[in-house]
């Protein structure tokens, strides 16, 4: 199929999905989980082949280590694959949002207006590595009544194809009950070449939203080469700030987690801001814990002096993990075991640093002072602002969204970890009885609007299939 044929068939599938019931979606999701389980060994074998080829690319300097880490779909003892299957169940359990009423208003007797949740339509998702995205996006698209066109990176080509084949087989073999609209087999499609993507980026007639998941360069390229709305983020420059009343245990635990739990992730903390008042009492133990975990610290002059004075990096092997920070370090996404440290003299200085150097993704404050925390959370311009918690919680699965389509720093319909709601929009239903706008106004025979809200509890599921 050509790129245009793929896009056109996705649009046709999207139109058919408008009349698919919640029960049908659930049946398809259950079948997807079943087929994925049946083909587990086949999929893992494909993933191992991808990783073997990618390892050679890493050794040759053609592929980054952080990208390689994202390839694995198996995990230790099959843990990641099991989590992937759980994610399908989690999406299935989420209430179907399509058809739900979010606003109801009686404009006049016999003239009722409803704002109703509906699918975005056709979603083009482009991603690097992380083949589990194939399953995450497919399940979220199915649940939300969207058609999805997926393009993964060549480094995960065998895994992506194995997962996509399983999903498409599941859709095609899900039983259809009498009287139901057949579930469109083209609801989830996969393309494999850059030329196809370049063509699809021009097809705003068919494609409603583009969701890029990957490197800064990938996202920037997409944003600069399409008229279609783009949901996502180019950088994940997350910061954690240690305030004057930071609890030592909380500081050590959250900062080490935020940096080391998965350094290649976009929600990993890249910058540590430290109030000068806790430089010795809190920062030094935090720094010691980071060094012990193998983190390389890029320290400004004051934090570097504190590390040297405390003697926590005397051992030559540990000393090699500490270096003087450069200005570029504070706007850099390391995606590795590196962190930039800067000492500030006030909460507002920390906020100003984040707003000028961050990427509006996720930022955290460690403090025992509620007023300081709430000031931070109001003033920091980011999709997520956390108090005494790791930035790694910026994740759809951890937030109970079942899975996520990505983390958005946009200020549009979806922001932060975007799950099912990120693939929905709304339309207005107006039920009349022959009224015209000319019937309302000032003068003889004219009607006045009632503009009376209808209780949502009475109509919330009025249009859910």
């Amino acid at each position: 199929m050509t790129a245009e044929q793929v896009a056109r068939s996705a649009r046709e599938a999207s139109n058919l999905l408008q009349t698919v019931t919640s029960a049908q979606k659930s049946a398809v999701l259950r079948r997807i989980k079943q087929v994925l389980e049946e083909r587990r060994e086949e999929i893992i074998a494909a993933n191992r082949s991808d990783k073997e080829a990618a390892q050679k690319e890493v050794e040759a300097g053609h592929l980054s280590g952080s990208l390689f880490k994202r390839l694995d779909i198996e995990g230790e003892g099959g843990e990641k694959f099991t989590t992937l299957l759980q994610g399908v169940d989690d999406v299935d359990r989420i209430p179907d949002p399509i058809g739900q009423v979010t606003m109801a208003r009686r404009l006049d007797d016999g003239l009722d207006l409803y704002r109703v949740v509906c699918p975005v339509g056709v979603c083009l998702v482009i991603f690097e590595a992380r083949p589990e995205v194939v399953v995450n996006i497919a399940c979220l698209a199915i649940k939300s009544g969207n058609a999805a066109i997926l393009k993964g990176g060549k480094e995960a080509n065998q895994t992506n194809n194995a997962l996509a084949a399983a999903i498409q087989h599941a859709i095609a073999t899900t039983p259809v009950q009498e009287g139901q609209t057949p579930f469109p087999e083209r609801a989830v499609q996969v393309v494999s070449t850059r030329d196809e993507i370049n063509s699809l980026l021009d097809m705003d007639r068919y494609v409603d939203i583009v969701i890029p998941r990957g490197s800064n360069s990938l996202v920037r390229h997409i944003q600069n080469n399409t008229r279609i709305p783009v949901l996502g983020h180019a950088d994940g420059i997350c910061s954690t700030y240690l305030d004057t009343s930071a609890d030592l245990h909380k500081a050590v635990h959250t900062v080490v987690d935020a940096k080391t739990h998965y350094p290649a992730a976009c929600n990993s903390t890249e910058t540590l801001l430290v109030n000068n008042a806790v430089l010795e009492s809190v920062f030094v133990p935090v720094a010691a814990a980071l060094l012990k975990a193998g983190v390389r610290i890029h320290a400004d002059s004051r934090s570097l002096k504190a590390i040297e004075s405390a003697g926590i990096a005397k051992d030559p092997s540990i000393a090699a993990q500490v270096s003087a920070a450069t200005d570029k370090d504070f706007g850099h996404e390391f995606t590795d075991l590196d962190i930039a440290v800067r000492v500030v003299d006030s909460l507002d200085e920390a906020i100003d640093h984040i707003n000028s150097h961050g990427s509006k993704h996720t930022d955290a404050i460690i403090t025992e002072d509620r007023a300081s925390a709430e000031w931070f959370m109001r003033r920091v311009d980011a999709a997520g602002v956390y108090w005494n918690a790791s930035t790694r919680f910026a994740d759809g699965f951890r937030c109970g969204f079942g899975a996520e389509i990505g983390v958005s720093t946009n200020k549009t319909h979806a922001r932060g970890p975007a799950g099912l709601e990120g693939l929905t929009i709304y339309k207005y239903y107006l039920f009349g009885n022959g009224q015209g706008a000319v019937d309302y106004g000032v003068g003889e025979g004219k009607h006045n609007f009632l503009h009376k809200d209808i209780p949502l509890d009475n109509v919330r599921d009025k249009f859910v299939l």
Side-chain angles (χ1 to χ4, degrees):
M1 294 177 71
T2 66
E4 184 171 359
Q5 288 172 327
V6 169
R8 188 185 297 118
S9 63
R11 171 57 66 195
E12 292 169 357
S14 169
N15 292 338
L16 288 172
L17 285 166
Q18 308 298 311
T19 54
V20 166
T21 67
S22 296
Q24 283 179 275
K25 297 175 188 176
S26 186
V28 170
L29 290 172
R30 290 196 300 272
R31 180 64 178 142
I32 286 174
K33 182 187 177 184
Q34 181 183 16
V35 175
L36 288 173
E37 184 62 78
E38 291 170 354
R39 299 189 181 186
R40 178 193 287 252
E41 294 305 318
E42 175 187 335
I43 293 166
I44 288 176
N47 187 237
R48 288 173 179 172
S49 294
D50 281 332
K51 289 188 291 184
E52 183 178 342
Q55 182 61 53
K56 295 176 182 178
E57 293 295 300
V58 172
E59 293 169 357
H62 300 150
L63 187 71
S64 70
S66 61
L67 202 63
F68 176 79
K69 293 175 185 176
R70 297 179 183 181
L71 271 177
D72 182 40
I73 202 171
E74 184 178 3
E76 187 175 348
E79 179 185 1
K80 285 191 72 174
F81 198 90
T82 300
T83 300
L84 180 71
L85 295 176
Q86 180 187 336
V88 180
D89 280 337
D90 290 341
V91 172
D92 188 22
R93 281 194 291 266
I94 298 172
D96 189 347
I98 303 305
Q100 290 188 356
V101 176
T102 59
M103 186 276 288
R105 186 162 295 151
R106 179 149 294 159
L107 307 187
D108 193 8
D109 291 332
L111 190 61
D112 292 344
L113 179 69
Y114 301 92
R115 186 172 64 209
V116 182
V117 177
C118 64
V120 169
V122 176
C123 309
L124 172 60
V125 185
I126 306 162
F127 56 97
E128 296 172 329
R130 299 194 68 169
E132 66 268 23
V133 170
V134 173
V135 178
N136 293 344
I137 297 294
C139 291
L140 286 170
I142 288 166
K143 184 74 175 188
S144 57
N146 289 280
I149 304 171
L150 309 176
K151 165 64 172 75
K154 62 180 180 180
E155 63 281 343
N157 195 48
Q158 293 186 61
T159 315
N160 292 337
N161 288 339
L163 289 168
I167 291 167
Q168 289 166 340
H169 176 74
I171 292 173
T173 57
T174 300
V176 179
Q177 302 300 319
E178 185 177 350
Q180 288 182 334
T181 300
F183 202 96
E185 293 186 20
R186 296 289 181 184
V188 178
Q189 299 180 82
V190 176
V191 295
S192 57
T193 70
R194 289 185 178 182
D195 287 342
E196 288 172 310
I197 289 300
N198 289 336
S199 297
L200 289 167
L201 290 175
D202 284 333
M203 295 184 188
D204 52 331
R205 176 182 177 185
Y206 300 117
V207 179
D208 297 295
I209 193 166
V210 182
I211 305 170
R213 295 187 60 171
S215 65
N216 180 298
S217 58
L218 169 70
V219 179
R220 294 291 184 198
H221 174 77
I222 300 302
Q223 291 173 331
N224 294 334
N225 287 277
T226 188
R227 297 185 299 273
I228 303 167
V230 177
L231 187 153
H233 68 280
D235 300 290
I237 304 171
C238 304
S239 297
T240 297
Y241 167 59
L242 304 181
D243 192 33
T244 55
S245 64
D247 176 85
L248 177 57
H249 173 74
K250 294 176 184 177
V252 171
H253 186 65
T254 55
V255 173
V256 171
D257 179 86
K259 181 66 266 182
T260 68
H261 184 246
Y262 189 10
C266 63
N267 56 16
S268 172
T269 284
E270 305 288 16
T271 300
L272 178 62
L273 300 172
V274 183
N275 192 289
N276 187 55
V278 294
L279 189 55
E280 295 179 3
S281 60
V282 178
F283 167 68
V284 168
V286 168
L290 288 170
L291 292 170
K292 184 178 180 180
V295 177
R296 293 173 289 274
I297 296 177
H298 304 251
D300 73 349
S301 58
R302 286 195 281 181
S303 58
L304 184 60
K305 183 178 179 181
I307 290 172
E308 291 172 346
S309 299
I312 59 174
K314 285 183 177 180
D315 185 283
S317 61
I318 299 296
Q321 294 173 224
V322 181
S323 63
T326 66
D327 289 341
K328 290 183 179 179
D329 288 333
F330 294 104
H332 183 62
E333 186 177 15
F334 295 105
T335 63
D336 208 341
L337 286 172
D338 293 83
I339 194 166
V341 180
R342 181 186 173 193
V343 179
V344 296
D345 294 312
S346 69
L347 170 60
D348 283 342
E349 186 180 349
I351 292 169
D352 290 343
H353 175 97
I354 292 170
N355 287 341
S356 60
H357 292 80
S359 61
K360 305 183 189 299
H361 190 296
T362 305
D363 302 289
I365 180 173
I366 310 302
T367 184
E368 295 303 294
D369 187 299
R370 174 177 289 274
S372 294
E374 292 182 353
W375 182 254
F376 178 93
M377 296 169 89
R378 286 194 187 97
R379 285 205 54 214
V380 168
D381 184 12
V385 282
Y386 297 173
W387 176 17
N388 287 343
S390 168
T391 56
R392 286 282 290 137
F393 281 104
D395 174 85
F397 177 77
R398 295 186 181 95
C399 291
F401 301 158
E404 69 176 26
I405 57 174
V407 178
S408 172
T409 55
N410 296 355
K411 294 185 178 180
T412 53
H413 82 289
R415 199 176 188 208
L420 205 60
E421 290 183 358
L423 290 177
T424 65
I425 193 67
Y426 54 82
K427 62 173 71 173
Y428 287 96
Y429 290 9
L430 182 62
F431 290 79
N433 192 29
Q435 296 94 330
V438 71
D439 301 329
Y440 296 85
V442 178
E444 186 177 351
K446 298 289 185 178
H447 295 275
N448 293 320
F449 286 110
L450 294 179
H451 288 167
K452 181 180 178 181
D453 286 343
I454 301 170
L456 281 179
D457 287 345
N458 298 342
V459 296
R460 192 180 308 279
D461 296 327
K462 183 178 179 69
F463 306 108
V464 174
L465 295 177

